[in-house]
Amino acid sequence: MTKTKTKAVTVMAALLLPAASAHAQTVTFTDINDAVPGKFFDAASSVPDASDPNTLVIGLNTGLDGTIWKHRDFKASLLPFSYPSATDTISFVIHAPDGYYVATVTYQENLVLGNSRFGRAFAATQLVVNGIATEEHFADLSDLGATRVPMSITTSLVAANADAKVVDGRVVVQVLPLPEAPAVQEVPPVPPVPEVPPVPEAPAVPAVLEVPAVPVPLPR
């Protein structure tokens, strides 16, 4: 019975260690803003995933804007109360925890695009990660060792007799430990400076003999 309890405690400790380690590696998302407030992307509801704080769940507006009678959803449609095209940008800054750097960033999006013989819809997404624009949804930053990474996401939708809609989007960040700085080599001690022997005194200068006066003969 004692053996069974010991095994259970050991397994539980092994499960708790990765969880504690993951919690210590949590990134922070700050300065979340979107270019078109009130519709499409929603910065206010963009928050880290509760099950994975290294994932930012991009918020989306919903409902109807009663002032202009337009849907707030990130959707392009030719139906009434909709926008035939929709574009928005959401931006934020990723901060790695102490002792770690941002290694990779992945953007996962779910779009619904209509496509039939009667109409089509189009969508395009571009990322700017650490100042570099790309149409790829994955950025490898492992060579930079950056602990602070600004990022923005721009998505454009166009309806051509078919609807286009952003269903959800999320940013997944991977962090890795910063490499340890190389050990500083010890500087060998400086050898003592040998004593300089005293300078010998200069010999005394002999006194200068007086020159006897030469008699000058008087004129006759």
Side-chain angles (χ1 to χ4, degrees):
M1 189 70 178
T2 304
K3 185 176 180 181
T4 304
K5 286 185 177 180
T6 303
K7 184 177 181 181
V9 171
T10 303
V11 172
M12 184 173 291
L15 293 174
L16 289 176
L17 282 174
S21 176
H23 179 71
Q25 300 173 18
T26 301
V27 303
T28 305
F29 300 96
T30 64
D31 302 324
I32 304 176
N33 296 287
D34 67 284
V36 188
K39 58 186 177 183
F40 311 148
F41 285 137
D42 183 22
S45 61
S46 298
V47 295
D49 191 338
S51 61
D52 180 10
N54 284 354
T55 296
L56 178 67
V57 179
I58 304 298
L60 297 169
N61 280 286
T62 59
L64 181 71
D65 185 349
T67 59
I68 58 175
W69 292 94
K70 293 283 188 180
H71 290 291
R72 302 177 187 270
D73 308 60
F74 203 160
K75 177 180 179 181
S77 175
L78 299 183
L79 294 175
F81 312 115
S82 299
Y83 295 93
S85 63
T87 300
D88 199 359
T89 298
I90 189 165
S91 60
F92 46 88
V93 180
I94 306 169
H95 301 267
D98 292 340
Y100 292 82
Y101 68 94
V102 178
T104 64
V105 178
T106 305
Y107 179 54
Q108 302 171 348
E109 65 178 356
N110 187 8
L111 306 175
V112 175
L113 299 177
N115 186 5
S116 69
R117 61 178 180 172
F118 301 107
R120 297 185 64 184
F122 304 91
T125 296
Q126 184 181 63
L127 311 183
V128 179
V129 184
N130 206 39
I132 305 299
T134 176
E135 293 184 355
E136 301 293 331
H137 288 194
F138 174 81
D140 187 349
L141 308 172
S142 55
D143 291 340
L144 302 179
T147 58
R148 178 185 180 277
V149 176
M151 179 175 174
S152 67
I153 303 166
T154 300
T155 297
S156 299
L157 307 177
V158 177
N161 287 333
D163 295 348
K165 184 176 182 179
V166 178
V167 178
D168 62 53
R170 54 186 56 218
V171 177
V172 182
V173 181
Q174 180 193 22
V175 296
L176 291 175
L178 286 168
E180 295 184 0
V184 179
Q185 297 181 352
E186 294 185 1
V187 179
V190 179
V193 179
E195 294 185 2
V196 179
V199 178
E201 294 183 1
V205 179
V208 179
L209 298 176
E210 293 184 0
V211 178
V214 177
V216 177
L218 297 173
R220 294 181 180 180

